[in-house]
Amino acid sequence: MWTAGENIQVSNLAVATSGTSFNKAFNIKTGDWLGYYVFKRLRFFNNIHLSQLITMLFVASWHGICSGYFVSFGIQGLNLTFERHLSTQLKKSLLANRLLCLFGKYHIVSIVYHIFLWAHKLLYTPCVLLGMHTFTFDRYWPIMTSVGAHWILLSYILLPILLTVLEKLYKLYLVTCDQGVTVKQDPEPLQEKRFPERNGIIGNGSRHKTE
């Protein structure tokens, strides 16, 4: 029986929305082998980024010494690192959680979100495959720029910075609102306050006359 197609899950590959789901659907047996015999064997580094970097260098060298292989697997590793960092950043973000509470209940938001992820993966996939088939910089880079690869790579740097700035602004907004609520709850000036009587003296400084 012909079983060559078992190495790719076409249906999952078509709807993949992340680097992880893409890797699980494409070149499956090679990915499983690398995960078991290379990536997991590097756990003694106790650093997932370093283990991933070494794995990508290994698999690129396995294919050949052309720069296209290293660029392809470098982009793939960068994408996985970006998605991992972005996911952690969004889970900890007060602004993201607030927006999720406001709009997460609408199905249209979820649909638009997944379409955006799918479109990103649609642009990202050619960048991974091009270097493996064109081999040299003068061949793959003009094609990559024509499909917008440089904008994707630039977004991997700018998007986390933008989210960090927005998060700081949102926290500043929350502090300002909290201070405004405190002032509204306690509008009476301090000098107008009266305190309990002690030793015949009223809190405003005057002496209480005793009969």
Side-chain angles (χ1 to χ4, degrees):
M1 182 180 292
W2 185 66
T3 58
E6 292 181 355
N7 204 35
I8 299 177
Q9 294 179 351
V10 179
S11 58
N12 292 342
L13 185 65
V15 296
T17 56
S18 67
T20 301
S21 59
F22 177 87
N23 292 338
K24 288 182 177 180
F26 180 76
N27 210 3
I28 300 171
K29 296 187 182 300
T30 302
D32 291 342
W33 188 92
L34 287 171
Y36 184 79
Y37 289 103
V38 182
F39 183 76
K40 291 183 178 179
R41 302 300 173 94
L42 299 172
R43 66 180 64 182
F44 62 87
F45 284 119
N46 197 28
N47 188 314
I48 189 173
H49 302 296
L50 181 58
S51 299
Q52 181 178 283
L53 174 62
I54 295 175
T55 302
M56 291 300 173
L57 289 175
F58 172 80
V59 70
S61 303
W62 184 9
H63 282 78
I65 60 173
C66 294
S67 63
Y69 294 126
F70 292 90
V71 169
S72 292
F73 290 103
I75 293 175
Q76 188 174 357
L78 180 62
N79 174 258
L80 293 173
T81 301
F82 167 75
E83 289 180 350
R84 190 183 303 115
H85 175 75
L86 185 64
S87 176
T88 302
Q89 190 176 13
L90 290 176
K91 288 179 180 179
K92 295 180 179 179
S93 171
L94 296 177
L95 176 59
N97 287 314
R98 177 57 179 167
L99 292 175
L100 183 62
C101 291
L102 291 175
F103 304 107
K105 57 185 177 181
Y106 299 106
H107 295 295
I108 186 65
V109 175
S110 177
I111 294 174
V112 171
Y113 173 71
H114 282 87
I115 290 176
F116 170 78
L117 292 179
W118 180 81
H120 163 260
K121 196 55 55 187
L122 189 64
L123 292 174
Y124 152 82
T125 302
C127 300
V128 174
L129 300 177
L130 273 172
M132 300 179 65
H133 295 281
T134 52
F135 307 118
T136 58
F137 179 84
D138 60 315
R139 293 179 179 177
Y140 59 73
W141 184 245
I143 304 176
M144 286 185 177
T145 54
S146 67
V147 298
H150 54 301
W151 295 113
I152 296 176
L153 298 177
L154 189 61
S155 69
Y156 289 169
I157 300 173
L158 296 181
L159 189 56
I161 297 175
L162 177 61
L163 290 177
T164 300
V165 172
L166 291 176
E167 181 70 9
K168 289 184 179 297
L169 292 175
Y170 181 67
K171 288 181 178 179
L172 180 62
Y173 167 76
L174 291 179
V175 171
T176 304
C177 290
D178 185 60
Q179 292 176 347
V181 171
T182 302
V183 172
K184 290 181 180 180
Q185 290 178 347
D186 192 14
E188 183 180 358
L190 292 177
Q191 61 271 21
E192 296 296 332
K193 290 186 176 182
R194 298 177 65 86
F195 299 93
E197 180 180 337
R198 293 186 303 171
N199 298 329
I201 300 179
I202 301 177
N204 58 9
S206 62
R207 183 173 295 277
H208 178 68
K209 294 182 180 180
T210 58
E211 295 182 359

